[in-house]
Each structure stands twice: as structure tokens, then as C-alpha cells.
Amino acid sequence: MSPLAPPLSFNPAGIELDRRQGLTRQLYDALRQRVLDGRLVSGTRLPATRDLAAALSISRNSVVRAYDQLYAEGFIEGRVGDGTYVAQLPSAKKLSTKLSTGFSTGLSPALSTIDAQQDDFSLGKVIHSPALERLEHNHLPLPPTGPPRAFRVGVPALDLFPFDVWAKLTAAFWRKPDLEQLCYGNPAGDERLRGLIAAYLRSSRGLQCTAEQIVITSGAQQAISLCAQLLVVPGDGVAVENPGYRAARHAFALAGGRLHGVAVDGEGLDCHALNSLHGCRLAYVTPSHQYPLGVVMSLARRLELLAWAERSGGWIIEDDYDGEYRYSGAPLAPLAALDRSGRVLYVGTFGKVAFPALRLGYLVLPPTLVDAFARRRAVDVRHSEVSTQAVMAEFMAAGHFQRHVRRMRRAALGRLDALLAEWPEGIDGVGQLPSVAAGLHLTVPVQNVAREQALIAQAAVVGVEINGLSDYWLPDACTPVDQRAGLVLGFAAVPELQISSALMRLRQAWT
């Protein structure tokens, strides 16, 4: 529009207000919508508040408040001595109608991206966003609910946790909290806890790390998600174990990664297949106890994997989700302890020793990545809840954690022995139980997927919870479908008597 051209004027005809409802909100909505759909174009001059109030037969205060909100959100602007105009905005075709109304929520335009998605969901609109499309194809089923029962996967012996000790430590913290701890904390986590984790890993894993390399997270899953957000550029190849941990795959897919399922054999991830992949810059592995097959990655494979990362400039995410549970011999050194080129990110969690709802995990990072991860975490959640960190630090410092780990390891071995001793033999289509050297679960091969599903359904009828191995595979895996079948059994969630009872019911259901 030429600067000499007279400004367009606004005709309030057509604005109908219901006096039984809030007049300010109705006027705000009407003006905002006219800007968004192009009926009020940039540069249109709006009436003075007094004139518009008279034209609509409402109070001037209602118009003032509506204008004020439109000013705050950038829809209109004032020109000194010259009145109020529609602001310079993109054309109606380019202008997103998903901007936050902000009127009832008080949100600023800076949060318009998030609020836009919320508005569209509430209005039932379809959002064409690559991230949301990835979400639709990479959702996770909800975890099982209710108290622990045989043979739930991923749950330790909750009945053995020293809740009385934990309660005393929690009460002591809140009786006289350090006021400094009640302010915003370090996004990397409580300094004392990080130091104790580093000391624990040095003694239990041979992992020579410092407190400065550790970032506390809300469980292992957030640690994996942070890795996906910071290390994966959309289109990057990501190597994942196949079969493998589904939640990790979803995190990488949501970040835009192209998933490459790499086969697992008796020695762990097939590094020869990994070396044949092109454009792959990240590998996610569970070397101490592969999830869900349960194999332990051999030292030769560990060294091969490290050589791949150094040669390709790639990253390795090592998920040591249940490394405390080793039943024969000393644990093999984790990849992070063997790493000499700073390519391994080590994920640990307290959820498999304490309880999953604790939501407390950690990352051990190459020093060059710590600052970026801490800054990213500050954007997401600032930092983990302060008392949980402080209580866990005291729990470790007083020796309770190490004693509890030893107790949990003995209990898990006893529960494993109960499963092995009473497992129903000779069930049609079910293979032999494997030998178990580590972890909290085992996997039994089954003849085919149809048989797997039938066994799981029969188990559910008698109150026994079993996962199907076929669910852990990528859909496009090269392995024939019927070779993906099996039963994944967690053996630590309940005591031996409940295991015996569950096995008796299974025997009756399956035979």
C-alpha cells in the first residue's frame, strides 16, 4: 500500500455480542479472527475505543481490555497521535491460525508453537507436522498397571526395598532443608549425588569417570531421549539391536533418525552388519545383558564396536539398565570403560535396584558433551526433584545402597532358581530355558508367533503376565516372522512362593 494512500477503515457491522457472556472475550475473539482470516488486513485503522464502544452499545472498558490483549499478542499496534492499526503481519494464507489466544491462559506469543498445537488438538484440526507424524507411528503401549505379579518384565524385588530407611532419610531432609537446595539447582544434578555415582561406578564397573561427567536424569528413558535430541539430526542413520528395546527406538525415530535394525547373535550385536551400513552415526546397545534376548556382548564384539565408532566418528549409547545383576564371575568391563576416543555415552538407572517409579537415572558423558546435555535438560525440566536426589545421595553415602544391591542380587538369583526348577517341561512348541548369567529376565524360544500368542493369552486367563518376543522386532526385520517368537519372562518381581503358584497355574493352562 502506498504511504500516501488513506488507511483502510474498520466497519464493526457483523460483530454480534451475546450480553449474557463476557463481552471483552467475545470482542477480542471477533477482532482476532478477522485478522487471522484476512478480513482485517495489515494497516487497517481501528476505531477509537470510545467510538467502537458506542457502535456496539457496550462499555468502553470492555473495548479497552480487548484492545490491550490484542496489543500484548501483537495483533494490533498504536501509532503516536494517529490511533490504532492492525499490525504488519503475514498474509492470511501464511498466517497460522494456531496462535495462542493467550486471553484465558496469559501465555506470551513466544510460546505460540506449543500453544498452537494445543489449540488445534482442542479444535479437532489435523496438524501436518513431521514430528507429530513420527509420533503417530512411534507410540508406545502403556505399561502394565496393578501390583507386581509373575512374570512382569523390568520390575525388581520391590518387596525388599528398605522403605523404612528411605522414609527416615526423607523426613530428615525435609525437617531442616538447606535453603540453597530449594532454589533452582544445577541442571546436571545434585553435586554430591554425582560424586557418589562416579565413585560407585569406579568401584563396581571399573569405569574411570568424574562427577563432572555425570548428568542426572529422570530415569534411563529420559537419558536416552536426551541422546536422541542432541545427537540425531533428521535423516541420520541409527543402528539399534533387533530385537531390542522399543522405547529407545521410539525416541530415535521421534528425533528423525532412520532406524537400522542390526541382528543379535550369541555374542551380541553383529558388528559386521553394522560396518556395512552407510550414513549411520549412532548405535544403541545393551551389552551387559541384551534386551530382550539376554546375551552378553563378548569382549571381541565390544572392541569391534568401539573401533567402528572411532573410525566412523559415530556415537555409542550404552544402556546398562540392569548391570548390577551378575550371577557368575565378574562383570565384563562396560564399553565406556574401554573407550579411549570419547565416543561412548553410558546410561544408568536406579529404577532396577530401587523401584521404577523413583524416576532417577544418569548419563556418564564424554567431557565435551556435558555442557550441551545440561543446557538441554535445563530447557526441558530445569533439574530433577531435589529431595529425591538428596535422599539417594545420603542413601549411598551411608552404605545402604551397596548393601541393598547385594541383597537384591541374592534375591533375584533365588527367584531365578525357583523359575528354573519348576518351569513346566514338555509344553508343545516351547523350547528349552536358556542359561542365565545376568539380568532380571530370560527369553524362551517358541515354535512360531501363533503359538506364542496362544500361550500368552492362556497365561493371562490364569493371571500370569508374559511378554511376547515378537513384539520387540522392527517390522521390516529380515528374520522370518516365525523365527521371532518367544516368551520374555521377568523373574524378580515377586517372591518364590508366588513364582511357584504362577508356574502351577501355567502348567494347568498350557497342558
Side-chain angles (χ1 to χ4, degrees), residues 183-207:
C183 298
Y184 288 113
N186 186 338
D190 180 89
E191 185 175 356
R192 185 186 186 210
L193 178 58
R194 293 160 65 204
L196 288 163
I197 291 172
Y200 169 70
L201 292 175
R202 288 194 297 268
S203 64
S204 67
R205 301 287 197 282
L207 177 50

Side-chain angles (χ1 to χ4, degrees), residues 353 399-412:
V353 173
H400 301 298
F401 180 76
Q402 291 81 347
R403 285 192 294 272
H404 183 60
V405 168
R406 292 191 292 270
R407 185 184 186 193
M408 292 289 276
R409 189 182 295 124
R410 289 193 300 269

Side-chain angles (χ1 to χ4, degrees), residues 16-262:
E16 296 181 1
L17 304 178
D18 184 348
R19 281 164 169 72
R20 295 170 298 179
Q21 301 180 28
L23 296 175
T24 299
R25 177 57 189 259
Q26 292 181 71
L27 178 58
Y28 158 84
D29 284 338
L31 295 175
R32 175 181 177 273
Q33 188 57 45
R34 281 164 170 74
V35 174
L36 292 173
D37 63 21
R39 284 178 287 171
L40 278 177
V41 299
S42 297
T44 299
R45 184 172 183 170
L46 296 179
T49 56
R50 193 181 307 277
D51 294 339
L52 184 55
L56 297 174
S57 300
I58 62 176
S59 75
R60 182 172 176 241
N61 285 340
S62 296
V63 180
V64 169
R65 286 194 293 268
Y67 274 22
D68 284 346
Q69 187 63 36
L70 293 167
Y71 273 122
E73 295 179 7
F75 285 98
I76 62 177
E77 60 189 14
R79 300 179 186 176
V80 178
D82 195 27
T84 302
Y85 292 80
V86 176
Q88 296 297 319
L89 298 170
S91 64
K93 290 184 179 180
K94 296 181 180 179
L95 187 60
S96 169
T97 60
K98 300 192 290 286
L99 287 169
S100 167
T101 66
F103 194 88
S104 59
T105 62
L107 296 175
S108 71
L111 297 177
S112 60
T113 302
I114 296 173
D115 300 319
Q117 295 177 355
Q118 293 174 340
D119 278 354
D120 270 2
F121 280 124
S122 65
L123 293 172
K125 297 180 182 177
V126 177
I127 302 173
H128 298 289
S129 160
L132 289 171
E133 289 174 2
R134 289 194 293 269
L135 178 60
E136 289 176 2
H137 294 93
N138 291 284
H139 65 279
L140 279 173
L142 294 175
T145 58
R149 60 178 180 171
F151 293 97
R152 183 169 296 174
V153 176
V155 177
L158 304 184
D159 53 303
L160 299 182
F161 187 76
F163 290 104
D164 55 341
V165 173
W166 190 263
K168 290 177 182 177
L169 296 177
T170 301
F173 174 83
W174 285 115
R175 268 197 302 272
K176 195 174 181 181
D178 182 342
L179 297 184
E180 181 179 346
Q181 289 182 294
L182 302 185
C183 298
Y184 288 113
N186 186 338
D190 180 89
E191 185 175 356
R192 185 186 186 210
L193 178 58
R194 293 160 65 204
L196 288 163
I197 291 172
Y200 169 70
L201 292 175
R202 288 194 297 268
S203 64
S204 67
R205 301 287 197 282
L207 177 50
Q208 298 304 311
C209 61
T210 65
E212 289 72 28
Q213 289 177 257
I214 293 174
V215 171
I216 304 298
T217 63
S218 298
Q221 186 59 40
Q222 188 191 47
I224 296 167
S225 294
L226 282 171
C227 293
Q229 293 165 21
L230 287 166
L231 300 181
V232 177
V233 174
D236 282 348
V238 178
V240 294
E241 297 167 325
N242 201 23
Y245 181 42
R246 290 169 290 184
R249 295 201 306 249
H250 294 317
F252 300 131
L254 283 174
R258 293 181 296 107
L259 300 183
H260 297 284
V262 180

Side-chain angles (χ1 to χ4, degrees), residues 267-279:
E267 292 189 71
L269 187 81
D270 183 350
C271 291
H272 178 74
L274 174 63
N275 285 321
S276 67
L277 298 177
H278 299 289

Side-chain angles (χ1 to χ4, degrees), residues 414-436:
R415 296 174 184 194
L416 168 62
D417 289 342
L419 172 59
L420 296 176
E422 300 185 49
W423 178 255
E425 298 288 346
I427 302 299
D428 182 41
V430 179
Q432 295 296 311
L433 289 177
S435 59
V436 179

